[in-house]
Amino acid sequence: MGIFIILLFLASGSQYGLPAAHGKAVSSAPSAAEKQLFDLLNQERIRAGESPLQWNTSAATAARAHARLLADHGEMSHQFEGEPVLLHRLEESAIRFTSAGENIACADDPDEAHLALMNSPGHRANIINIEYTAVGVGVVEHEGRLYVTEDFVRIVPVYSEDEFLRVFTKALNSEREKKKLAVLMPHKSTVLHDAACSSHGDAQALPVNLGFAGEIMVFSSSEPQNLPPQLLDRVLVSRFHEMNIGVCFRPDAEHGNANFWVVAALGE
């Protein structure tokens, strides 16, 4: 029987999000002002050497609702009394994301609004943040002024637990192939699945004897193709020939609304 070791590390976690509701996103094309601001955002990103953002209708719906509140109140705020926080507003759609940010402005036209945001370090940081992959822009006109909200998100695919495991396995074996190591096919384990669903990332809270010899690893992830370095350190050595695994979809406030917990047992 091999040595039983418990290792804990976090991967691809985020401080953002709670479980997403499974509502249907409202389909709506951007207005002329919204499209102009969207184009200006991507011009800045390209100028900074970053990938352009994709337009996200769900984020735009949330942005428009907040822009309406900006106009109704006639003042700048990221949250008004009785309004959900940004993350909960975004979660009213079926999108899954790991991080989010928001810009707000009031101006006479889109160019003026964009210039004001770019001259603000915090807002500019959102615009060129490499972490974000999509944005929704909302613009509401009131008494000749434009009230603007830009909601930025890092979108991740919607995976079932089995889909997550398939992508994870493909990525793992792609890395092993580079080292000329044999294919490693993780075996789904009900015991480890239950452990992943109850761990909360606390390795010490796992049962002392899960029935596996070798090394037990616990981590969280929202993007299964991005393998944690600590995991790679162990699976890219020839002495490990088998892996039992449990994958549990468990979104939470600390790790995001796309979060999975994984418990993997590496054996020789």
Side-chain angles (χ1 to χ4, degrees):
M1 172 121 357
I3 299 173
F4 184 83
I5 303 173
I6 292 181
L7 301 167
L8 173 65
F9 56 95
L10 301 179
S12 303
S14 165
Q15 61 183 344
Y16 303 104
L18 290 169
H22 294 287
K24 210 170 187 181
V26 178
S27 177
S28 177
S31 67
E34 291 168 350
K35 178 65 164 57
Q36 184 176 346
L37 282 162
F38 174 67
D39 290 341
L40 288 169
L41 290 176
N42 277 333
Q43 288 172 21
E44 299 294 350
R45 288 179 68 89
I46 292 170
R47 190 175 295 119
E50 307 297 350
S51 299
L53 297 167
Q54 299 298 310
W55 177 268
N56 186 270
T57 300
S58 297
T61 299
R64 289 173 185 139
H66 189 69
R68 168 51 61 191
L69 288 177
L70 295 176
D72 289 347
H73 287 79
E75 61 181 85
M76 295 291 97
S77 174
H78 287 287
Q79 183 183 12
F80 292 99
E81 184 177 354
E83 182 190 22
V85 297
L86 169 64
L87 304 174
H88 291 182
R89 284 183 252 141
L90 292 170
E91 286 156 3
E92 292 178 357
S93 69
I95 61 171
R96 288 187 186 170
F97 61 95
T98 57
S99 56
E102 182 173 84
N103 285 351
I104 56 175
C106 178
D108 291 331
D109 57 60
D111 285 323
E112 181 185 21
H114 180 72
L115 182 61
L117 292 171
M118 284 299 293
N119 284 334
S120 166
H123 293 101
R124 182 180 184 279
N126 276 340
I127 291 171
I128 62 173
N129 190 337
I130 190 173
E131 188 72 14
Y132 299 137
T133 59
V135 69
V137 180
V139 177
V140 172
E141 183 176 359
H142 181 66
E143 296 182 349
R145 299 279 282 169
L146 298 184
Y147 292 84
V148 176
T149 300
E150 299 171 343
D151 285 344
F152 302 87
V153 285
R154 179 176 181 83
I155 299 292
V156 295
V158 176
Y159 295 112
S160 67
E161 291 175 356
D162 285 342
E163 289 166 342
F164 182 99
L165 181 56
R166 281 196 292 272
V167 175
F168 171 86
T169 300
K170 182 177 180 180
L172 182 150
N173 281 312
S174 176
E175 294 299 324
R176 283 179 64 89
E177 183 180 4
K178 294 175 185 177
K179 298 288 186 178
K180 302 190 183 306
L181 297 173
V183 170
L184 183 63
M185 295 303 297
H187 302 290
K188 287 169 53 177
S189 164
T190 301
V191 171
L192 296 181
H193 176 271
D194 291 347
C197 286
S198 61
S199 70
H200 293 283
D202 183 2
Q204 303 306 318
L206 293 176
V208 174
N209 185 6
L210 289 170
F212 298 95
E215 296 189 7
I216 302 290
M217 312 193 78
V218 182
F219 60 94
S220 70
S221 175
S222 298
E223 300 177 71
Q225 69 276 17
N226 295 335
L227 302 177
Q230 296 93 327
L231 176 67
L232 286 174
D233 286 346
R234 286 160 177 83
V235 297
L236 297 185
V237 295
S238 57
R239 70 186 182 93
F240 289 121
H241 299 289
E242 61 179 56
M243 174 188 289
N244 289 279
I245 195 166
V247 175
C248 181
F249 176 56
R250 293 187 60 223
D252 59 46
E254 182 179 0
H255 300 98
N257 81 338
N259 183 65
F260 290 78
W261 279 104
V262 180
V263 178
L266 298 172
E268 300 182 20

